[in-house]
Amino acid sequence: MILDSFSLKGKVAIVTGSNTGLGQGICRAYAEAGAKVVGVSRRPSTETEQLIGSENFYNVIADLSSCDVIPEVIEKTLARYGRIDILVNNAGIIKRQDSIEFSEENWDSVLNVNLKTVFFLTQAVAKQFIKQGGGGKIINIASMLSYQGGIRVPSYTASKSAIKGITMTLANEWASKGINVNAIAPGYMATNNTQQLRQDEERSADILARIPAGRWGTPADLEGAAVFLASSASDYVNGFTLAVDGGWLGR
Ligand code: NAP
């Protein structure tokens, strides 16, 4: 049955940024597809745990602005569920400031969470995949700003363009080991990340007018792509960034 190849039964997934927004939606979808989910968040993922139930969800509290937490994330996941099959690098931040005044703090903080920790967490999980044998799935959360420049968000654009790039690099190196590395580029989604934009009436109306689907996306809109890229249905998909954007990029 083709639908069986989308099942995540028996799989263990790590999802970063599990307490809210797109990460919370991905955790819920993975649990529904049969996976045990380890949510990594700097604040407790209490709501996510309530949605899923404590048998299939385990919360690791970690601040991903530093790579120091990576060994603990891996160790706690293995202690709880014994293996890792899927990693979703979802946690991310954005800083808005005119580029002419953009601060080093706004540059470093975004690059640390959105790129540096993503790379080294991915490396640590890939080592575990290789140790286990049998490959694994990495899904990076990219952005429309993996393709476009954006306005007043230079560090975010740098990080998300780089995410698309390293998704291809890692796929080139690891596809032969059965490790699929892909990304999802969400369009404009109604989460905390876009709260400031949606509050700006002019920018919000401009954005909405350009989305062919005629609405902002929701966490639920991302779930199908996230399950597909985590499942054996995508075993021959490597290094690709899949836009889930209501048609934004085609415009
Ligand atoms: P969100 O609601 O702001 O979620 C971001 C998540 O990342 C939160 O769980 C946040 O935790 C976590 N996070 C941030 N810094 C962290 C740190 N230092 N350590 C641990 N966790 C940290 O926004 P979202 O829209 O769901 O964003 C999820 C991903 O999608 C991000 O990578 C974002 O760039 C990307 N994205 C979003 C959109 C969109 O339109 N919303 C579009 C394209 C891409 P806290 O709640 O504690 O801050």
Side-chain angles (χ1 to χ4, degrees):
M1 259 284 281
I2 181 63
L3 286 182
D4 293 342
S5 70
F6 288 84
S7 171
L8 303 183
K9 203 158 185 279
K11 304 288 183 189
V12 176
I14 297 177
V15 180
T16 67
S18 54
N19 57 302
T20 186
L22 304 180
Q24 182 178 75
I26 293 169
C27 288
R28 204 204 53 75
Y30 282 4
E32 202 177 307
K36 306 280 188 204
V37 181
V38 175
V40 182
S41 54
R42 59 182 165 180
R43 296 182 289 132
S45 295
T46 314
E47 197 181 88
T48 309
E49 182 163 348
Q50 278 164 2
L51 282 172
I52 294 174
S54 55
E55 199 187 313
N56 295 322
F57 183 81
Y58 177 61
N59 191 197
V60 175
I61 301 292
D63 183 343
L64 298 167
S65 60
S66 159
C67 289
D68 294 349
V69 298
I70 291 171
E72 191 191 338
V73 170
I74 305 286
E75 280 157 25
K76 286 189 168 169
T77 302
L78 294 177
R80 173 72 177 210
Y81 293 128
R83 58 182 293 112
I84 310 170
D85 301 287
I86 300 157
L87 168 67
V88 182
N89 286 305
N90 165 78
I93 54 171
I94 189 163
K95 299 286 180 185
R96 299 176 194 280
Q97 188 179 17
D98 290 343
S99 290
I100 199 75
E101 286 161 0
F102 207 78
S103 68
E104 197 173 339
E105 203 277 324
N106 280 349
W107 183 269
D108 288 342
S109 59
V110 170
L111 268 294
N112 280 339
V113 178
N114 293 17
L115 185 61
K116 186 175 176 184
T117 303
V118 168
F119 177 80
F120 286 103
L121 178 57
T122 300
Q123 183 191 63
V125 167
K127 283 181 180 169
Q128 179 62 26
F129 287 166
I130 290 165
K131 198 165 154 191
Q132 290 170 185
K137 303 276 181 175
I138 309 277
I139 298 124
N140 296 322
I141 302 301
S143 165
M144 294 296 95
L145 302 188
S146 302
Y147 300 91
Q148 302 177 316
I151 301 166
R152 305 182 70 245
V153 286
S155 59
Y156 186 80
T157 303
S159 71
K160 295 299 186 177
S161 300
I163 283 294
K164 180 168 172 288
I166 63 168
T167 296
M168 293 185 284
T169 306
L170 300 178
N172 292 340
E173 293 190 39
W174 298 343
S176 63
K177 302 181 194 310
I179 300 173
N180 296 78
V181 188
N182 290 291
I184 298 172
Y188 285 82
M189 319 296 278
T191 65
N192 298 338
N193 175 286
T194 53
Q195 194 173 8
Q196 239 181 304
L197 263 190
R198 285 177 290 119
Q199 279 167 349
D200 178 337
E201 277 182 31
E202 204 177 315
R203 287 275 284 130
S204 179
D206 282 354
I207 287 167
L208 196 56
R210 194 191 179 283
I211 302 174
R215 64 173 177 86
W216 288 71
T218 67
D221 287 315
L222 219 67
E223 293 176 6
V227 170
F228 169 62
L229 291 176
S231 72
S232 63
S234 61
D235 279 353
Y236 201 59
V237 180
N238 298 90
F240 193 67
T241 298
L242 173 61
V244 178
D245 65 350
W248 174 277
L249 283 183
R251 188 85 183 254

